[in-house]
Amino acid sequence: MNDINTEIHNAFEVIQNGGIILYPTDTVWGIGCDATNPEAVKKIYALKKREESKSMIVLMNGEKMMYNVFKDIPEVAWQILDLSEKPTTLILDKPRNVAPNIIAEDQSLAVRLVKEPFCFKLMERMKRPLVSTSANISGQPTPKSFKEISPEIIKGVDYVVNLHREKICDKPSTIIKLTLDAKVQIIRK
């Protein structure tokens, strides 16, 4: 088991060079890249065999990063995040400063604030949000642990983070869509 700083360093190097990584998040294992790099985002769509019209989640490590991507964040967003017991993904309107090919057709973007140390510290180094999408070929079940990730995915990324390989996660995050006119819709409980 490697030490977290080594893993952050290795993952950071790969991401800086436009690569994609397989890494543990606060929920399931994810495939990630620099959320501002459209070429890297393309590699993830290709690996997952997923159409680009399906958007992906972007992880962030705090308010500053959130405001860098969304000029207007509804007040209710912060209330939901404060009250959430478990990881919660918010879909917010009109993102900017991210790769155009991760923005959904309705001009929204799914984001999750993470406290998980690996993701958090990696983003501190990157100073950019991190793409996070489940580590599976599109249409196949989401792997609950590292052991369930298909060899095709493992071979297809540029780096596999050597942390939390034993961790089993049975649940992806809750997803809530918030529009600028304050409509709230629960997409996944």
Side-chain angles (χ1 to χ4, degrees):
M1 176 87 150
N2 255 332
D3 117 278
I4 183 167
N5 295 326
T6 309
E7 290 303 317
I8 288 165
H9 173 81
N10 296 348
F12 177 71
E13 295 286 300
V14 168
I15 285 172
Q16 282 293 83
N17 293 314
I20 62 178
I21 64 169
L22 181 60
Y23 67 104
T25 72
D26 52 336
T27 60
V28 294
W29 273 76
I31 305 172
C33 68
D34 173 352
T36 66
N37 181 336
E39 291 308 309
V41 170
K42 252 191 207 128
K43 289 183 194 170
I44 295 182
Y45 282 118
L47 176 61
K48 285 184 64 107
K49 303 183 170 54
R50 185 171 176 167
E51 318 93 67
E52 292 212 3
S53 60
K54 294 246 181 88
S55 58
M56 297 189 274
I57 293 176
V58 173
L59 301 181
M60 300 191 185
N61 68 359
E63 253 178 67
K64 190 169 161 220
M65 204 175 267
M66 289 273 286
Y67 279 111
N68 188 33
V69 176
F70 300 98
K71 200 169 78 189
D72 300 305
I73 301 174
E75 186 49 45
V76 65
W78 302 113
Q79 291 163 355
I80 290 170
L81 293 174
D82 286 344
L83 297 170
S84 303
E85 307 277 292
K86 59 178 193 160
T88 299
T89 298
L90 296 179
I91 302 177
L92 300 173
D93 284 342
K94 297 209 171 72
R96 56 201 177 142
N97 302 329
V98 290
N101 52 347
I102 53 170
I103 298 173
E105 283 165 355
D106 67 357
Q107 293 305 301
S108 67
L109 180 66
V111 295
R112 192 163 76 244
L113 282 178
V114 290
K115 297 184 172 68
E116 195 283 319
F118 173 77
C119 297
F120 188 89
K121 290 182 170 153
L122 177 59
M123 285 185 279
E124 274 189 335
R125 281 286 290 277
M126 291 165 61
K127 304 202 180 357
R128 295 196 173 127
L130 182 65
V131 168
S132 178
T133 180
S134 55
N136 56 340
I137 304 291
S138 203
Q140 293 181 356
T142 300
K144 293 181 175 42
S145 66
F146 185 76
K147 283 200 284 291
E148 291 180 15
I149 300 171
S150 82
E152 190 178 350
I153 293 280
I154 293 175
K155 282 196 203 81
V157 297
D158 300 302
Y159 186 68
V160 179
V161 172
N162 193 10
L163 292 170
H164 310 303
R165 297 232 175 142
E166 307 313 308
K167 189 177 110 166
I168 292 176
C169 177
D170 46 356
K171 268 223 172 78
S173 61
T174 300
I175 300 181
I176 300 174
K177 186 168 172 62
L178 296 180
T179 53
L180 284 172
D181 55 6
K183 285 198 191 70
V184 177
Q185 181 192 1
I186 298 194
I187 296 196
R188 180 169 73 194
K189 265 208 148 60

